[in-house]
Every structure is written in structure tokens, then in C-alpha cells.
Amino acid sequence: MLVRTEAIGVPFYETQMRSGQIPAGPATAIFGHEAAGIVLEADDETLRGQRVVTMSFTGGAYAEVVAASQYSLVPDGVTAEQAVAAAVPASVALGLMDAADVKAGESVLVEAVSGAIGGYLARLAERKGARVVTTAGKGKADIDHDDPDWRQRVPEGIDVVFESIGGPRAAELTAKLAFFGRILAFGMLSGELPVFSVADLIPRGLTLIGFGGPDAYGKRIAAVRAEALGLVADGTLTPVIDRTYPLADVAAAHARVESREGAGKVVLVP
């Protein structure tokens, strides 16, 4: 299908791809991976004129019109900005929650809660009845992860860690987990993958679950994207939009994301 874009997401990982901090393969002529808008043309003619949100692993979303194959219909009452702010990050959060099997009464550590995914994780964990401990920079959470020794301030007995910061010191968190706890590794905001060894996991019987890559990651979030948008439509989840920029100001939008000063999703509007 061809979609006339009305809102385009700017996730943090795109700033890392642009800077070369994480591998992204050959650079595409048009950047961007998340967009919402109106279908102009489609193999299925019944989709013409429908409002959809799309994700592409090959880019092309920073444009007035984007070609897409993966899509979800946007429910009535949800704006394009809300749809692009929720479709991918809320779907990732739902997939992570499902993989973690969070239960009422458990203690959960959510890293980078001021980011789009972290914010949804915290709210979904609270809905499950979990006790949530959060990290963020600039004093925006329970623990300030700008301090290199922040992991020492995590309380003991954590059942689930949603690990999105990464780096060689990630293994320090294993000492804070309860026996048979779970670690969900899904990000590398530090620019480095988290480092764990079997020796870190064995003493407490911990489970390490990887959550990423276009195959496993893409399939998991595609399976729950409609559910995520439904939770927005019924008011269960409220998308947090940090700032909206015209598409021509994409450099300013990337600078805003890289500053980590805001909370929620940065959105471009053509």
C-alpha cells in the first residue's frame, strides 16, 4: 500500500542508526521506520481511505508518502499522532510483559521510564498489580541512571528487570534479583549490548530473555499492535507525546531525542 503520512515517529534507535552507533546495514535514501496516515492505494481496494499505522524495517517513513506492507488499522477516536506514539512502543511493551509473565505483587525494574517504551512498561506493570521501580536521567524517576553507579541503589528482591540500557555493567543487576527472577534484554541505550554470563545467572536460577531483531521482535509486536491501539482507543493507555515538529525540522527532532530531556514520543508532521 501507499500511505499519505500524517504523523511520523522518531524513536531513539533511529538517532543511534544515523550516528553509526548501532549497525543498520546500508543507509537508505529516505530514513524513518514508523508512520501513521491514510491509505492512497492498496492491493486490497477496500483499504483505500482507511487510517493506518505502519512499521518498516527498511526505512522510508520520513516522507509525505510511504510504501508499506505491515500495517494496523487506527481505531476511531485515535489521532495519527497518538497512533504513531503508541503503535510500536506500546506493542513492544505488551510483548515484553507477555514474555516476562509479570504477576501481581512482584517487583519490577523498568529502565529508562521517560522513554516511550519504558513509560508504557511502567503503566502496564502497575495495571498487573506489580511494584514498580523506575530509572531515568535528570531526576525524572526513582533512580537517576545518569550516575554510573546507579545499579547499586536498586533494591534487592526484584523479580523482573526490563533491561534497555545495556553495557558491560548490566550484570551487576543480577545480584539485585530474587531467586528465579527474569531479565528481559531489549535495548542498548548506552550504545552497547548488555553483557551477562552463565555464571551471573546460575546462583539465583535467573532466566535471561532476549527481545530484539526484525524477525522475533517484528513478529511479537505485530501480533499485539491491534491490542495496543485498542488500549489507547478505550482510554486504558494514554500516549505521551513529548514534542511535535514539522518534517522539515527533522534535525531539531533528532537533537531533542538525543538530549533525553523530554518524556514520551517525538513526532514529525509533514
Side-chain angles (χ1 to χ4, degrees):
M1 62 172 62
L2 288 178
V3 177
R4 186 179 77 238
T5 57
E6 296 182 317
I8 303 158
V10 186
F12 184 75
Y13 68 80
E14 287 186 348
T15 70
Q16 293 178 301
M17 293 167 66
R18 190 207 72 238
S19 66
Q21 195 172 34
I22 60 175
T28 58
I30 301 175
F31 207 55
H33 300 79
E34 306 170 11
I38 298 174
V39 178
L40 298 176
E41 298 181 20
D43 292 338
D44 180 352
E45 292 188 1
T46 64
L47 290 173
R48 290 186 182 183
Q50 296 280 358
R51 301 170 62 241
V52 297
V53 61
T54 72
M55 180 177 182
S56 168
F57 284 98
T58 58
Y62 288 6
E64 295 175 342
V65 177
V66 60
S69 56
Q70 289 191 23
Y71 71 94
S72 292
L73 296 176
V74 177
D76 292 339
V78 178
T79 68
E81 289 88 350
Q82 290 174 326
V84 82
V88 172
S91 298
V92 172
L94 282 170
L96 285 163
M97 288 290 294
D98 180 63
D101 192 23
V102 174
K103 297 178 175 62
E106 290 191 316
S107 296
V108 172
L109 176 67
V110 177
E111 296 178 0
V113 73
S114 61
I117 296 173
Y120 287 118
L121 279 171
R123 282 176 279 171
L124 290 170
E126 288 171 350
R127 285 184 68 227
K128 284 276 190 178
R131 298 185 298 273
V132 180
V133 179
T134 61
T135 86
K138 306 182 187 302
K140 294 181 289 186
D142 301 318
I143 299 170
D144 187 343
H145 65 214
D146 286 338
D147 182 341
D149 295 321
W150 67 266
R151 295 173 182 87
Q152 303 308 312
R153 284 187 285 283
V154 173
E156 295 183 355
I158 297 291
D159 295 292
V160 178
V161 170
F162 290 109
E163 166 58 56
S164 62
I165 294 176
R169 298 187 65 177
E172 294 177 15
L173 288 173
T174 58
K176 301 291 186 174
L177 268 79
F179 286 99
F180 310 112
R182 292 91 76 198
I183 303 170
L184 285 289
F186 71 99
M188 45 182 290
L189 297 178
S190 65
E192 299 179 280
L193 289 168
V195 178
F196 299 96
S197 72
V198 174
D200 298 318
L201 307 176
I202 286 178
R204 292 177 179 271
L206 305 179
T207 299
L208 174 62
I209 302 172
F211 196 97
D215 293 325
Y217 186 83
K219 289 176 182 177
R220 277 183 181 271
I221 65 175
V224 295
R225 193 178 296 131
E227 180 185 354
L229 292 168
L231 292 174
V232 173
D234 68 17
T236 300
L237 289 179
T238 301
V240 178
I241 298 172
D242 177 51
R243 288 189 182 180
T244 300
Y245 293 84
L247 180 56
D249 291 342
V250 63
H254 271 235
R256 175 65 177 177
V257 173
E258 289 174 304
S259 75
R260 307 192 191 189
E261 292 179 353
K265 194 80 165 181
V266 171
V267 177
L268 297 170
V269 177

